[in-house]
Amino acid sequence: SEALRKWIIDRQITVLATLPSLVEAWPQQTLHNVWLLILAGENTPRGLIEQLRHLDLEIWTGYPATRTVLCIAGGAAKA
């Protein structure tokens, strides 16, 4: 996880597809250059989406849609 985090920062990755559990383990500065974050492979916890809301990035989920993600996406769309 740490090697991948360092690779993302060093290469200034802007589009990232990864597991939600990895994103939860990283400091938010890891996503500094990311504008599109695709979360897939496991359920995305509501708490993670809440933590990332203030960042200037677009979040997609590749896991079957959950009420949590739909509610937050709907709320963000109205804002």
Side-chain angles (χ1 to χ4, degrees):
S1 173
E2 182 58 27
L4 177 58
R5 187 185 80 75
K6 186 173 176 357
W7 186 85
I8 291 166
I9 293 169
D10 290 348
R11 287 169 178 74
Q12 299 181 358
I13 299 300
T14 58
V15 177
L16 178 63
T18 190
L19 297 167
S21 58
L22 285 177
V23 175
E24 283 184 307
W26 297 330
Q28 288 185 1
Q29 67 198 38
T30 306
L31 304 175
H32 177 73
N33 292 306
V34 175
W35 66 267
L36 174 58
L37 177 62
I38 303 167
L39 301 172
E42 58 191 31
N43 193 25
T44 302
R46 178 184 179 98
L48 177 60
I49 299 296
E50 291 292 337
Q51 290 173 7
L52 300 176
R53 285 182 84 178
H54 73 281
L55 299 177
D56 187 25
L57 56 81
E58 187 170 334
I59 301 171
W60 295 1
T61 181
Y63 199 73
T66 65
R67 284 185 231 154
T68 301
V69 174
L70 293 176
C71 289
I72 291 172
K78 293 178 185 176

